[in-house]
Each structure stands twice: as structure tokens, then as C-alpha cells.
Amino acid sequence: MWSFRRWRQRRILARHPVEDALWGRVREALPILDGLNAEEDQRLRERAVLFLQGKHLTPLAGVELGDEQRLFLAAQAELPLLHLADLNWYQGFHELVIYPDDFVSPQRHRDASGVMHEWDAEHSGEAWHQGPVILAWSGVQASGAWEGYNLVIHELAHKLDMLNGDANGLPPLHRQMRQSDWAQAMQSAFDDLNTRLDRDPDAEPPIDPYAAENPAEFFAVTSEYFFSAPDLLQQAYPAVYTQLQAFYRQDPLARLEHLKATHPHYRAP
Ligand code: ZN
């Protein structure tokens, strides 16, 4: 069937070709893309271009974004959507504001007794409900390796979470998925992480303790691990890995295992 959307996308892609050498440099800077097959690689390349045409990147003073930097960011943004239907998963926001480094932003929280607390907190990223995504370029640059850290995927996971209301750790699930399975897997892992941290705040938790903040952060942090340290996530919380695999329709652990099997020194510590 003829689709206006697809026709428009073809036209954008024809007008904004990405040279092989440029894409090669982007791929080289993003080990988490290693293991994608040729078809996935091509789709990611196209979707990265479409992402940059559909969103406005606003670099603040001190940030210079060339084509390579923009694609580096966009490829990470589109990786989670690679096997999701070509719907507008990043609808509801148009702008990504890029700070050079971590930034201070005012926080407000009304506690159970009704008292409003206000303070300033230093962040490397924020995703505003029906508003922009804010990223520290230093954090974006630190992303892309198999290290369990990915600022871009983290903040955009919040956007996926917000597609069906407030960020609460429950994005819109596919029809084949069961909300009770999701809730069970996420809640028990979240509780386990909190229990471990309560028991011994100095103990090395299996994943970034920031995940224990609330269910929204748990989803965002485990999404980071899913794509950038799938082995650690699978080992720590296999049921969470299974749910994220069903949601993102990808298996980054299989990619990583295959890379390690075929390249014995891959990701040597
Ligand atoms: Zn977050």
C-alpha cells in the first residue's frame, strides 16, 4: 500500500545521505552496535537520519555538534526502537537541549506531610513530561560502550515510559505481553535491590543503585544495562531481562555472546 509517511521518509533519506566513511566512524565509536547484522545496520542508519530530521538539537554554549556527533547521539537514540514497528515512539517532544556538562536544576518534592521541599540537584540528563530531553554532552560522550552506562538510552527510556502517562516504570506494553508479568519481574527486582542497599549501603549492588530510587528510574537504568551490559542485567535479574527483551524485541545478550565467541578478546577487561 502506498504510504505518504514512507514516501516522505524516502525523500528525506535521499536528501540527507550519510557517507559510508562517516557512518563507519559513528559505528566505531559505538561498541554497543557491534553485532548488528547488515539489515539492522542499514535500518539504524536510516532511522538516525530521520531522528535528526524530526527532532531539534539545541547545543548550548560550549557544545559543538558536527554531523558525526549528531549521528553518534541519534544512533543511540534509535537503537532501542530498532525492532519496534515504525511508529512514532518518540512523539510528544521535539527538542533535545545539550549542555556541555552536568547541570544544576531546581527540584521540588511535596512529602507525605504536605511540606514542599525545594533544592538544587546536579544532573547529566532530564526528560520533561511533554517537554524536551536535556542531556549533558559529557554524558553522551561517555555512552556507547559495553559499560552499563548510556545517558541517551536512559533519558529516552523515560520518554517511552511517559507515552502512557507519568513516568512510573510501565511503558505501553505490546499486546502479547502481560502487565502482571512485567509488574512481577520489575517489582521483585526493585525490592531486591532496595533490600540489599538497606542492608549494607556500602555493598556493591549488582546494578547501578540509582535504579533503586523509584520504578521510573529502575526502568531507565535497566534499559541502559539491557543495551550496554546485558550480561550483568541477565545475571542479576533474569526476569527483568526477559521482560525488556519482549518489550524492545531485541536480544543484546545474544549479540554480545556471539561477539565474545567469535572474537576471543572482545571486550577484554
Ligand atoms: Zn532518570
Side-chain angles (χ1 to χ4, degrees):
M1 199 178 76
W2 189 82
S3 145
F4 175 70
R5 184 182 163 80
R6 194 68 199 137
W7 173 81
R8 217 180 133 261
Q9 289 182 345
R10 285 272 142 235
R11 207 173 56 149
I12 292 172
L13 293 170
R15 284 184 183 176
H16 302 275
V18 176
E19 305 252 325
D20 288 346
L22 171 59
W23 184 245
R25 289 199 299 277
V26 172
R27 286 291 312 252
E28 215 156 284
L30 290 170
I32 54 168
L33 304 185
D34 291 350
L36 295 182
N37 64 38
E39 197 256 318
E40 292 171 322
D41 176 70
Q42 179 61 24
R43 194 187 315 156
L44 188 70
R45 184 167 164 169
E46 292 184 358
R47 291 208 182 167
V49 171
L50 296 170
F51 179 87
L52 292 172
Q53 292 305 309
K55 304 290 178 219
H56 191 77
L57 266 53
T58 307
L60 300 185
V63 185
E64 298 251 0
L65 299 181
D67 287 346
E68 188 174 333
Q69 289 75 28
R70 290 161 57 84
L71 281 168
F72 175 77
L73 194 166
Q76 296 179 80
E78 287 293 328
L79 176 63
L81 307 187
L82 192 57
H83 283 277
L84 299 183
D86 188 8
L87 298 172
N88 198 4
W89 287 86
Y90 290 148
Q91 61 187 267
F93 79 100
H94 303 284
E95 189 177 23
L96 295 99
V97 179
I98 319 289
Y99 280 72
D101 220 323
D102 287 0
F103 50 91
V104 172
S105 72
Q107 309 290 311
R108 306 178 79 186
H109 172 71
R110 191 179 296 279
D111 69 21
S113 57
V115 177
M116 183 67 87
H117 300 265
E118 301 191 26
W119 71 101
D120 286 337
E122 194 163 286
H123 284 178
S124 51
E126 276 181 0
W128 292 8
H129 197 248
Q130 296 178 331
V133 169
I134 305 177
L135 300 168
W137 185 247
S138 54
V140 177
Q141 278 182 307
S143 306
W146 296 105
E147 290 177 347
Y149 175 80
N150 195 295
L151 180 63
V152 180
I153 291 174
H154 180 107
E155 296 308 329
L156 291 174
H158 284 315
K159 282 296 187 188
L160 298 177
D161 192 353
M162 290 169 188
L163 281 170
N164 53 359
D166 287 338
N168 58 2
L170 177 67
L173 303 180
H174 308 302
R175 217 175 302 142
Q176 307 87 328
M177 296 178 69
R178 284 170 46 183
Q179 199 168 311
S180 55
D181 293 344
W182 178 276
Q184 158 74 24
M186 296 295 173
Q187 188 68 51
S188 56
F190 178 76
D191 291 345
D192 174 79
L193 185 60
N194 274 288
T195 306
R196 283 168 190 251
L197 292 168
D198 289 348
R199 209 186 296 139
D200 179 4
D202 298 324
E204 178 90 14
I207 61 171
D208 186 341
Y210 191 56
E213 286 278 310
N214 57 53
E217 295 306 339
F218 190 82
F219 171 62
V221 170
T222 53
S223 291
E224 284 180 74
Y225 273 74
F226 181 74
F227 288 103
S228 69
D231 47 351
L232 297 184
L233 179 62
Q234 212 275 342
Q235 211 171 11
Y237 299 118
V240 171
Y241 186 89
T242 302
Q243 288 301 311
L244 293 179
Q245 189 182 355
F247 177 66
Y248 290 114
R249 292 179 169 153
Q250 295 189 43
D251 190 356
L253 180 59
R255 289 204 290 265
L256 180 59
E257 295 295 334
H258 182 73
L259 287 164
K260 287 202 277 195
T262 50
H263 305 78
H265 299 295
Y266 192 79
R267 198 175 67 149

